[in-house]
Amino acid sequence: QVQLVESGGGSVRPGGSLRLSCAASGFAFSNYAMTWVRQAPGKELERVATISKSSGNPRYADSVKGRFSTSRDNAKNILYLQMSNLKPEDTAVYYCTKNLGTSSFSDYESPRSQGTQVTVSS
């Protein structure tokens, strides 16, 4: 069964950086695009970044473009999200989730993992 475990969250000041990791198991990780989503208190789930199975054509939400970067290591079955110049509005629980296809334009599954909390505050 699909298992995704996020790590790397924490509390940082505005302008700080964090790198999130997502360890994947239970499926052929290298065959699927992967997505990071986040949910802030009282808000809907927001797609943050998607990367294709081969790391091509990463797509980002306008709110994080130029500040966040996603990558993957298919040999280790790990997905990453490098976050820089963090803002208070980035505060949320971050989840990784598997897409339904190989392309970064494919739909993603609803997250079922625990996620990792990111808090940006002065």
Side-chain angles (χ1 to χ4, degrees), residues 12-13 23 27 49 57 63 67 81 96 115-116:
V12 296
R13 296 188 184 279
F27 67 104
N57 298 319
S63 57
R67 301 187 297 120
L81 183 69
C96 63
T116 187

Side-chain angles (χ1 to χ4, degrees), residues 40-82:
K43 294 191 176 181
E44 294 187 352
L45 208 61
E46 177 189 15
R47 187 189 72 84
V48 174
T50 301
I51 187 168
S52 72
K53 70 167 190 172
S54 57
S55 300
N57 298 319
R59 297 171 60 224
Y60 300 95
D62 288 343
S63 57
V64 307
K65 207 169 287 184
R67 301 187 297 120
F68 289 14
S69 176
T70 187
S71 61
R72 63 192 296 165
D73 185 334
N74 285 344
K76 297 182 179 179
N77 288 0
I78 300 178
L79 177 72
Y80 300 102
L81 183 69
Q82 178 67 49

